[in-house]
Amino acid sequence: MHSEALPLTSHEIPGSASRVALGPRAVLLRAFARDRGPELVTAIGAAAEISPFRHMVTPGGWRMSVALTNCGYVGWLTDRSGYRYDTIDPMTGRAWPAIPRLFADLAVEAAEAAGFSAFHPDACLVNRYAPGARLSLHQDRNERDFDQPIVSVSLGLPAIFLWGGMKRADKTQRVPLTHGDVMVWGGPDRLRFHGVHHLADGKHPLTGAYRFNFTFRRAL
Ligand code: SIN
Ligand code: FE2
C-alpha cells in the first residue's frame, strides 16, 4: 500500500476547532469533541452494559481484531452470512440501546460544522481498539442513503487513520487522529476507502489501553 504524510496545513476558524480538508466534502474537525470526552466515555460504558463489546466474524471467516457494539434503532453486524444492519442485537436477542442524547447532539453539530445541515442518524457503531487492533480498508456502503454523511468520533489512544480514494488500490493518506477529533465525510467523498492502522501501545488518562471510535450513520 502506498502512503504519504498528510500536509499539516490546518487553519483556525474563529471560535471553532481547527479544520483540515480531506476532500471536497470531507473534513477533520480537530478536538471538536474533546470537552465532552469524559461524558462520552461514560455513555459508551453504559451502552456496553446493555449490548457488550464483542469480536465479530467477517463473511470470509476472519475474527475482527476490533471489538464492537452499537446503539441506535439499527446496529451494524457482520457474520458468515454477510454485512448488514439489524434492529436486534444477536448477542442479547434484544434491541440495541438508544443513541444517548449527548451522542446525537454531537453528531448533528459536527455534521452541521461540516456543511451537512439535515443529518438524522439512526445508527451508531462503536468500535473499541486495543493495541495491535486494526481495521482494513473498506467503504461504508451498507446504508441506503449515500446523501447522508458519516460522522466519526475518536476518543482515547491516538491512531493513524488511512484515508484512501474511490478504489481500494488508490493511494492512502495517513491521518493522525487523537482524542476528541471528529471526521465527517459525505457527498463525493462518501464512498472513499478508509481504515485504521495497527493501534500502538499506550495509556490514555480517560480510556486506559483503548481507543474508541463511534461512527454515526443514516442506515435506513
Ligand atoms: C470505521 O471505519 O468504522 C472506523 C473508523 C475509525 O475507527 O476511525
Ligand atoms: Fe468505516
Side-chain angles (χ1 to χ4, degrees), residues 6 20-28 163 173 183-186 188-189 192:
L6 176 74
V20 183
L22 292 170
R25 299 302 307 276
V27 63
L28 164 56
W163 182 238
Q173 284 185 338
M183 286 263 317
V184 182
W185 62 93
D189 296 310
R192 300 241 326 229

Side-chain angles (χ1 to χ4, degrees), residues 75-136:
W76 183 87
L77 297 178
T78 173
D79 60 20
R80 291 309 298 252
S81 60
Y83 304 120
R84 65 188 176 281
Y85 284 96
D86 203 310
T87 55
I88 301 296
D89 175 354
M91 189 172 180
T92 64
R94 306 167 69 143
W96 302 97
I99 296 181
R101 182 60 193 264
L102 178 73
F103 278 34
D105 288 349
L106 172 61
V108 169
E109 286 169 38
E112 249 164 38
F116 296 94
S117 55
F119 183 44
H120 300 293
D122 56 6
C124 175
L125 167 64
V126 187
N127 292 310
R128 188 184 70 189
Y129 298 74
R134 63 184 287 271
L135 193 62
S136 52

Side-chain angles (χ1 to χ4, degrees), residues 135 138-140 185 194 215 217:
L135 193 62
H138 65 278
Q139 294 168 296
D140 291 356
W185 62 93
H194 59 279
T215 53
R217 300 101 184 272

